[in-house]
Amino acid sequence: MNTKPITSKGFRTAKAFILSYVCLFILFAAIGFLIRYTPLPERWMQLYVLAALCVSCFLIGLLTGNVIQKKGILFGALFTIIFVLILNAVTVLLTGSYSEAGILQLRYLPCVFIGSFGGMIGVNL
């Protein structure tokens, strides 16, 4: 009887979150480096940040879909929403200013779709 305890899934999910945040901060650093030392236009900064967020949401969906092993679209989207909410909460705590537009913005919708796609792929791996 080779059964894994339930804490193993929780630990692997927490590790997936940490890995996704590390990936996001590495991508942010790379974007900052490219903007500073190359002729990359700054006017597209929101798109660069959104692309980095989509990559890390894909990663969180992929890793949690691989951990849960069922309903990848649902769990990928759910963990992506949790990921973005935690990121927004940490941003508000660090900067001290809250966005006037709120947390329910349409720009996070591609991240949720890409995260659910990552969950679907993670289940099938």
Side-chain angles (χ1 to χ4, degrees), residues 15-58:
K15 194 167 76 170
F17 271 99
I18 291 170
L19 209 65
S20 295
Y21 282 118
V22 168
C23 174
L24 181 67
F25 292 128
I26 288 172
L27 288 173
F28 281 168
I31 289 169
F33 180 79
L34 288 174
I35 286 179
R36 173 71 175 109
Y37 294 109
T38 63
L40 206 60
E42 289 183 24
R43 66 177 180 263
W44 294 343
M45 184 69 170
Q46 288 182 345
L47 292 176
Y48 305 147
V49 170
L50 184 65
L53 186 61
C54 285
V55 168
S56 59
C57 286
F58 178 78

Side-chain angles (χ1 to χ4, degrees), residues 33-90:
F33 180 79
L34 288 174
I35 286 179
R36 173 71 175 109
Y37 294 109
T38 63
L40 206 60
E42 289 183 24
R43 66 177 180 263
W44 294 343
M45 184 69 170
Q46 288 182 345
L47 292 176
Y48 305 147
V49 170
L50 184 65
L53 186 61
C54 285
V55 168
S56 59
C57 286
F58 178 78
L59 184 65
I60 189 80
L62 183 78
L63 294 174
T64 56
N66 196 8
V67 168
I68 306 261
Q69 288 292 319
K70 60 181 175 181
K71 298 180 184 175
I73 295 174
L74 177 67
F75 283 112
L78 178 70
F79 282 108
T80 298
I81 291 170
I82 293 170
F83 180 78
V84 170
L85 287 176
I86 291 172
L87 184 67
N88 280 335
V90 168

Side-chain angles (χ1 to χ4, degrees), residues 83-125:
F83 180 78
V84 170
L85 287 176
I86 291 172
L87 184 67
N88 280 335
V90 168
T91 303
V92 167
L93 288 175
L94 289 177
T95 61
S97 63
Y98 187 72
S99 174
E100 293 94 18
I103 59 173
L104 298 175
Q105 298 177 4
L106 287 177
R107 67 177 173 187
Y108 296 128
L109 206 55
C111 298
V112 174
F113 287 136
I114 290 175
S116 62
F117 183 69
M120 183 175 56
I121 291 175
V123 167
N124 291 323
L125 285 180

